Amino acid sequence: MQIRSMVVEHDAEGHPSRVVGTNTDITQVKDHQQQLERIAHFDALTALPNRLLLAYRLQQALAQSQRRGQSIAVAYLDLDGFKTINDTLGHGTGDSVLKHLARRLQNAIREGDKIGRLGGDEFAVIQFGNEQPQEAAALAARLIEIIGTPFNIDNQKLVVGASIGIAVAGGDYQDSTQLLRAADLAMYRAKADGRGR
């Protein structure tokens, strides 16, 4: 929406006589564009970057890592036991768990690392490091511990766990799609091997 104002010249008696010009206020247009961009790139529930923005950031990180000679790992995590919370306590409680979890995850990663919500109860972390996959494994262990700490929601202690798959850039994994897919497959392997790992 644009707001236009007219500059009007008045005669000696104070009556409008002619339009001299117009001004357009595009502040609302810019605000609307920013809102659309936010909707397109950020998860509405957790305010974390969504799958689209995370994939873009991963592609940027891959290009940057090749220039700087850094390693990148992606930790793909899926919550264990979250479906039970949604099914027994309702989606409102499940949403509260996801919001609290998003804050925990943001506080658990380093400043240069990136996190996003891929959908449902799936998240991913992009981690830079010179000692991969050791740094990613240490991050995954820390995240499992942080996620496993009970959530206090509506005077109830709720516990979820996490299964995490890790993929390190290099070899066959040179683009964001391949790397996320490999981390996703590794996460399913962690679930198949008993969850919480």
Coordinates of all heavy atoms in Angstrom, one line a residue, residues 2 9 17 19 23 39 55 69 73 106-107 131 168:
Q2 N 0.6 2.2 -0.8 CA 1.3 3.5 -0.8 C 0.4 4.6 -0.3 O -0.8 4.6 -0.6 CB 1.7 3.8 -2.2 CG 2.8 2.9 -2.8 CD 3.3 3.4 -4.1 OE1 2.6 4.1 -4.8 NE2 4.4 2.9 -4.5
E9 N -1.5 24.4 -3.8 CA -1.3 25.8 -3.7 C -2.7 26.4 -3.4 O -3.7 26.0 -4.0 CB -0.7 26.3 -5.0 CG -0.2 27.8 -5.0 CD 0.4 28.1 -6.3 OE1 -0.3 28.6 -7.2 OE2 1.7 27.9 -6.4
S17 N -6.1 26.1 -5.0 CA -6.3 26.5 -6.4 C -5.7 25.5 -7.4 O -6.2 25.4 -8.4 CB -5.6 27.9 -6.5 OG -4.3 27.8 -6.2
V19 N -2.9 21.8 -7.8 CA -2.0 20.8 -7.2 C -0.6 21.1 -7.8 O -0.4 21.2 -9.0 CB -2.4 19.3 -7.6 CG1 -1.4 18.3 -7.1 CG2 -3.8 19.0 -7.0
N23 N 3.7 13.6 -3.1 CA 4.7 12.9 -2.4 C 4.2 11.5 -2.1 O 3.0 11.3 -1.8 CB 5.0 13.5 -1.0 CG 5.6 14.9 -1.2 OD1 6.4 15.1 -2.1 ND2 5.3 15.8 -0.3
I39 N 8.3 -13.8 6.7 CA 7.4 -15.0 6.6 C 8.0 -16.0 5.7 O 7.9 -17.2 5.9 CB 6.0 -14.6 6.0 CG1 5.2 -13.8 7.1 CG2 5.2 -15.8 5.5 CD1 4.0 -13.0 6.5
A55 N 19.1 -23.6 4.1 CA 19.8 -24.2 2.9 C 20.6 -23.1 2.2 O 21.8 -23.4 1.8 CB 18.8 -24.8 2.0
G69 N 39.4 -22.6 3.7 CA 40.0 -23.9 4.0 C 39.5 -24.4 5.4 O 40.2 -25.1 6.1
A73 N 30.4 -28.9 9.3 CA 29.6 -30.1 9.6 C 28.1 -29.6 9.8 O 27.9 -28.5 10.2 CB 30.1 -30.8 10.9
Q106 N 19.6 -22.1 20.5 CA 20.3 -20.8 20.2 C 21.4 -20.5 21.2 O 22.5 -20.0 20.8 CB 19.4 -19.7 20.1 CG 18.5 -19.7 18.8 CD 17.5 -18.6 18.8 OE1 16.7 -18.4 19.7 NE2 17.5 -17.8 17.7
N107 N 21.2 -20.7 22.4 CA 22.1 -20.4 23.5 C 23.3 -21.5 23.5 O 24.3 -21.2 24.1 CB 21.5 -20.4 24.9 CG 20.5 -19.2 25.0 OD1 20.8 -18.1 24.3 ND2 19.5 -19.3 25.8
E131 N 38.4 -29.0 13.3 CA 38.6 -30.4 13.8 C 37.3 -31.2 13.6 O 36.7 -31.7 14.6 CB 39.0 -30.3 15.3 CG 40.2 -29.6 15.6 CD 41.5 -30.2 15.1 OE1 41.5 -31.5 15.0 OE2 42.4 -29.5 14.7
V168 N 29.8 -34.3 7.3 CA 30.9 -33.3 7.2 C 31.1 -33.0 5.7 O 31.1 -33.9 4.9 CB 32.1 -33.8 7.8 CG1 33.3 -32.9 7.6 CG2 31.9 -34.1 9.3

